[in-house]
C-alpha cells in the first residue's frame, strides 16, 4: 500500500537533511504510529503520502515514494487526494468553508462526485464519526475537539483508502481524545490504512499494528503493536518518548473547584481574582464567580474540557479581555485591563501569532535591550530550550515544536511577575516537555507566578503546585 525506498529529503528553507535514507513498508489495513522527537521527520513522512512534500512544502526528494500503487513523483496533490485523506494538527488550517456541512461536502466535490453522491457521503461520514449533531453549524463556533472531529469526517467523506493524521490529539481534552480513539478504531475496523504522527501515544496503544521510531531523520526501530505495549514508561522516556500509561497520574495532585478557592488576603498575593464574571455579548456567562489567588513561585494548572473558559480566563488576567464584573488585583492593587497588559505576559497556543522577526536571535531580544547580562541570559535560555544551534534561522523555518519552545523562551526574558501559558506542551515530545518543566521551575524559583492551561497530565504532575478544575 505504501513504500518508502531509500528516501532522503531536505527543505528549501534549510541546508540540513530532515530524512536520510529511510525505508518503510506499510501494508493495506495497517495502523502505523510514527513517534520520535520534534523535528525528527515524522511530519515530513506524512507529507510524502499526500504529496504536500515536495509539491507544496518545497525541497529536494531523493528515493522513491509509492502510495496506493502510484509513484508520488508522477501524481499531483489533487490526484493523490482521491486515495489519501489528511487531518492536520490544527484543523483550522484545512477548513475551506464556513459551515460544517459544506466542509464535509467540499472533499467530495473536490474529487468530482455529483450532488446526489455527495449528499449521501456527507450523511454517511457524519454518522461514522458521530458528528451528525454538528452539521449545519458555523466552524467558528466549534470547540477544538469538535473542529478535529469535523476535519476527520471531511477527510473520510470521499472514502479514501488511506488516512494520514499529524498530531491529532495535540489540542484535545481527555474526553475528546477518547472520542478520537473510538473514531480511529472504527475506521481501522472498516479496513482503512491509517498513519498517525503523534507524541501523546497512550490513547493509541491498543490500535497499533506497527510503531516506527524516528530519530534525527533515520528509523531507529520498528516495533509490532505487542512489542510496543510491553515497553515501560521509563524505557520510552529514556528514548525521548511520552509515557504509554497515564493511569494514576492525577493521584497526589491538589485539585480544587475554581469558584471555591479561598483568598488569603493576609498574604501578599501576586494575583487575586475576586468574584469575576465574563460573557460574550449578552450570552450566558462563560465565567461566573471566579475567585483565584496566585502567590510567588506558584505554578497553577487550569484543567477542564475544551470550551470551559481556561483560555478566556487567562486573557482576562492578561488584560486582553475585560471582565463583566468583579475585581482583579496585582500586587494588592486593583488593576484595569490596560494596566494588566503591561504587568503580565501571555504565551498563546499558536506560536505563529507571536513570532515577528527574521531570526531566532532577534526574536529572543525583541523589546529587550542587549546588555552583557541580557545576552548571557538569552543564550542560556535558548540552550535550555534546545535552540542554541538555530540563532540565524528564520522562526518560520522551525518545526512546530521548535517554534513553541522559542515562544516560551521569550517569556523568560519579559520583566513581569505573572506569566500565562496556553497549552505550552501541545505537540511536544518528552524531552521538550522536560525542557519546559525546567524553565517553569526556574521561573518559580525567581518568585514568578505562573498560570498554565493544559490537558497534559504528564506535564501537570511534573511541575504544577496546584490544579484547578474548571
Amino acid at each position: 500500500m505504501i513504500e518508502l525506498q531509500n528516501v532522503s529529503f531536505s527543505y528549501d528553507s534549510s541546508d540540513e537533511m530532515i530524512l536520510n535514507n529511510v525505508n518503510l513498508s506499510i501494508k493495506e489495513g495497517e495502523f502505523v504510529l510514527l513517534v520520535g522527537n520534534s523535528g525528527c521527520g515524522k511530519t515530513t513522512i506524512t507529507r510524502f503520502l499526500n504529496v504536500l512534500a515536495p509539491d507544496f512544502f518545497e525541497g529536494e526528494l531523493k528515493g522513491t515514494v509509492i502510495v496506493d500503487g502510484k509513484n508520488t513523483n508522477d501524481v499531483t496533490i489533487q490526484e493523490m487526494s482521491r486515495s489519501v485523506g489528511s487531518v492536520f494538527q490544527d484543523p483550522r488550517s484545512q477548513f475551506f468553508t464556513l459551515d460544517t456541512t459544506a466542509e464535509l461536502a467540499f472533499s467530495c466535490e473536490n474529487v468530482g462526485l455529483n450532488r446526489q453522491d455527495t449528499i449521501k457521503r456527507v450523511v454517511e461520514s457524519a454518522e461514522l464519526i458521530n458528528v451528525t449533531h454538528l452539521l449545519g453549524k458555523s466552524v467558528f463556533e466549534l470547540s477544538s475537539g469538535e473542529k478535529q472531529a469535523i476535519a476527520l469526517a471531511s477527510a473520510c467523506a470521499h472514502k479514501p483508502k488511506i488516512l494520514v493524521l499529524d498530531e491529532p490529539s495535540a489540542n484535545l481534552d481527555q474526553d475528546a481524545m477518547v472520542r478520537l480513539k473510538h473514531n480511529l478504531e472504527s475506521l481501522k475496523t472498516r479496513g482503512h490504512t491509517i498513519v498517525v504522527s503523534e507524541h501523546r501515544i497512550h490513547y493509541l496503544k491498543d490500535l497499533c499494528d506497527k510503531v516506527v521510531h524516528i530519530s534525527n531523520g533515520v528509523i531507529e526501530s520498528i516495533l509490532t503493536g505487542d512489542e510496543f505495549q510491553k515497553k515501560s514508561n521509563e524505557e520510552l522516556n529514556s528514548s525521548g518518548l511520552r509515557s504509554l500509561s497515564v493511569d494514576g497520574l492525577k493521584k497526589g495532585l491538589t485539585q480544587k473547584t475554581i469558584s471555591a478557592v479561598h483568598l488569603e488576603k493576609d498574604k501578599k498575593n501576586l494575583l487575586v481574582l475576586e468574584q469575576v464574571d465574563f460573557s460574550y455579548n449578552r450570552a450566558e456567562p462563560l465565567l461566573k464567580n471566579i475567585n483565584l489567588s496566585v502567590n510567588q513561585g506558584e505554578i497553577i494548572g487550569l484543567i477542564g474540557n475544551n470550551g470551559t473558559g481556561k483560555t478566556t480566563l487567562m486573557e482576562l488576567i492578561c488584560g486582553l479581555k475585560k471582565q463583566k464584573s468583579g475585581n482583579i488585583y496585582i500586587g494588592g492593587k486593583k488593576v484595569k485591563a490596560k494596566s494588566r497588559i503591561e504587568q503580565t505576559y501571555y504565551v498563546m497556543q499558536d506560536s505563529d501569532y507571536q513570532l515577528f522577526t527574521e531570526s531566532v536571535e532577534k526574536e529572543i531580544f525583541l523589546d529587550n535591550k542587549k546588555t552583557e547580562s541580557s545576552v548571557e541570559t538569552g543564550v542560556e535560555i535558548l540552550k535550555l530550550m534546545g535552540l542554541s544551534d538555530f540563532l540565524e534561522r528564520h522562526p518560520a523555518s522551525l518545526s512546530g515544536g521548535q517554534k513553541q519552545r522559542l515562544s516560551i523562551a521569550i517569556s523568560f526574558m519579559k520583566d513581569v511577575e505573572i506569566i500565562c501559558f496556553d497549552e505550552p506542551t501541545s505537540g511536544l515530545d518528552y524531552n521538550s516537555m522536560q525542557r519546559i518543566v525546567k524553565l517553569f521551575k526556574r521561573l518559580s524559583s525567581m518568585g514568578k507566578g505562573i498560570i498554565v492551561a493544559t490537558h497534559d497530565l504528564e506535564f501537570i504532575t511534573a511541575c504544577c503546585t496546584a490544579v484547578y478544575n474548571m
Side-chain angles (χ1 to χ4, degrees):
M1 177 59 72
I2 297 171
E3 291 282 344
L4 275 65
Q5 301 169 357
N6 302 317
V7 170
S8 298
F9 186 78
S10 62
Y11 289 101
D12 285 348
S13 58
S14 173
D15 296 329
E16 300 176 7
M17 298 295 293
I18 190 69
L19 290 170
N20 193 2
N21 198 35
V22 169
N23 290 276
L24 178 63
S25 177
I26 299 174
K27 298 177 182 178
E28 185 173 358
E30 276 192 320
F31 190 111
V32 176
L33 176 62
L34 306 178
V35 299
N37 291 341
S38 297
C40 71
K42 302 185 305 297
T43 295
T44 300
I45 288 179
T46 66
R47 290 170 177 170
F48 291 154
L49 308 187
N50 49 32
V51 202
L52 286 177
D55 283 15
F56 182 80
F57 296 98
E58 296 179 348
E60 183 181 5
L61 172 63
K62 297 178 181 179
T64 304
V65 180
I66 305 294
V67 179
D68 193 23
K70 308 178 188 73
N71 188 319
T72 58
N73 284 329
D74 301 329
V75 295
T76 65
I77 293 174
Q78 185 175 5
E79 289 169 337
M80 187 55 72
S81 69
R82 295 179 179 274
S83 299
V84 181
S86 303
V87 179
F88 304 144
Q89 180 174 337
D90 183 359
R92 296 172 301 176
S93 65
Q94 66 186 93
F95 286 161
F96 292 92
T97 67
L98 300 179
D99 72 86
T100 55
T101 305
E103 192 61 41
L104 267 63
F106 181 82
S107 65
C108 300
E109 296 166 344
N110 205 37
V111 298
L113 292 181
N114 61 42
R115 185 175 185 275
Q116 186 175 355
D117 287 340
T118 295
I119 292 172
K120 180 182 178 182
R121 296 282 182 89
V122 166
V123 173
E124 290 175 348
S125 183
E127 291 176 347
L128 175 64
I129 308 300
N130 297 309
V131 293
T132 303
H133 62 292
L134 297 178
L135 293 179
K137 285 193 173 185
S138 166
V139 296
F140 301 106
E141 296 175 356
L142 305 179
S143 70
S144 296
E146 290 170 340
K147 289 174 183 173
Q148 217 279 342
I150 288 296
L152 180 57
S154 177
C156 295
H158 66 288
K159 295 186 178 180
K161 298 177 183 177
I162 301 167
L163 289 167
V164 179
L165 299 91
D166 187 19
E167 299 287 350
S169 75
N171 302 314
L172 301 187
D173 58 49
Q174 299 302 312
D175 291 344
M177 195 185 303
V178 171
R179 290 193 293 271
L180 172 61
K181 177 187 176 179
H182 291 329
N183 285 330
L184 292 176
E185 190 172 21
S186 176
L187 290 165
K188 179 183 177 180
T189 301
R190 289 171 176 261
H192 288 279
T193 303
I194 302 174
V195 180
V196 181
S197 167
E198 184 65 284
H199 288 302
R200 296 166 77 184
I201 55 179
H202 61 87
Y203 75 103
L204 296 175
K205 60 184 178 183
D206 300 329
L207 300 180
C208 300
D209 297 306
K210 187 182 294 180
V211 179
V212 181
H213 182 192
I214 303 164
S215 178
N216 297 320
V218 299
I219 293 180
E220 186 82 13
S221 64
I222 298 178
L223 302 177
T224 66
D226 290 338
E227 291 171 333
F228 183 58
Q229 289 197 50
K230 293 176 182 177
K231 292 287 184 179
S232 67
N233 285 350
E234 290 73 22
E235 287 179 292
L236 293 170
N237 295 165
S238 66
S239 299
L241 304 180
R242 290 298 196 102
S243 298
L244 195 59
S245 174
V246 295
D247 297 336
L249 282 183
K250 287 185 178 181
K251 293 179 180 178
L253 284 176
T254 301
Q255 291 196 61
K256 300 179 181 179
T257 303
I258 200 163
S259 60
V261 175
H262 175 61
L263 300 183
E264 300 180 71
K265 292 189 177 181
D266 57 326
K267 291 186 178 181
K268 184 181 178 183
N269 303 111
L270 283 180
L271 173 72
V272 170
L273 277 71
E274 187 176 53
Q275 297 181 339
V276 170
D277 291 358
F278 177 83
S279 62
Y280 288 96
N281 301 320
R282 295 184 180 180
E284 183 73 18
L286 175 62
L287 300 175
K288 191 171 184 179
N289 192 32
I290 298 296
N291 296 284
L292 172 68
S293 63
V294 181
N295 295 323
Q296 290 185 341
E298 282 196 305
I299 305 175
I300 302 297
L302 301 178
I303 64 174
N305 290 344
N306 292 324
T308 54
K310 300 185 299 296
T311 297
T312 301
L313 177 58
M314 292 193 299
E315 289 174 340
L316 281 171
I317 291 170
C318 294
L320 300 176
K321 287 183 170 61
K322 296 179 181 179
Q323 68 269 31
K324 182 179 179 181
S325 61
N327 299 310
I328 298 179
Y329 302 85
I330 295 179
K333 296 181 180 179
K334 188 190 299 185
V335 286
K336 295 182 178 180
K338 186 177 181 180
S339 296
R340 297 200 297 271
I341 290 176
E342 299 169 353
Q343 297 181 54
T344 62
Y345 189 71
Y346 177 45
V347 179
M348 303 169 70
Q349 186 171 340
D350 191 337
S351 304
D352 288 327
Y353 289 132
Q354 289 184 287
L355 301 176
F356 304 103
T357 69
E358 61 270 24
S359 76
V360 168
E361 183 178 21
K362 289 183 179 179
E363 201 70 53
I364 197 74
F365 295 114
L366 183 65
D367 269 348
N368 293 302
K369 290 183 179 180
K370 263 194 170 185
T371 64
E372 185 176 342
S373 176
S374 68
V375 169
E376 183 179 337
T377 300
V379 170
E380 183 184 357
I381 294 305
L382 287 176
K383 183 177 181 180
L384 175 62
M385 291 292 100
L387 298 170
S388 53
D389 293 336
F390 305 105
L391 293 179
E392 301 304 319
R393 284 273 295 272
H394 196 292
S397 71
L398 300 176
S399 71
Q402 290 165 342
K403 289 178 186 177
Q404 203 159 352
R405 298 201 305 273
L406 176 57
S407 65
I408 292 169
I410 292 167
S411 71
F412 190 91
M413 305 295 289
K414 301 301 178 182
D415 185 22
V416 296
E417 297 300 311
I418 300 162
I419 309 177
C420 292
F421 297 87
D422 195 0
E423 294 288 351
T425 61
S426 65
L428 292 189
D429 58 63
Y430 180 80
N431 291 333
S432 296
M433 182 197 75
Q434 288 297 330
R435 292 179 187 275
I436 308 303
V437 169
K438 289 178 181 178
L439 185 138
F440 274 31
K441 289 185 174 180
R442 184 163 171 178
L443 288 169
S444 172
S445 70
M446 296 164 61
K448 307 281 187 180
I450 300 170
I451 302 103
V452 51
T454 181
H455 301 302
D456 191 337
L457 293 180
E458 286 180 89
F459 177 67
I460 290 170
T461 54
C463 71
C464 288
T465 57
V467 176
Y468 298 111
N469 185 16
M470 296 187 66

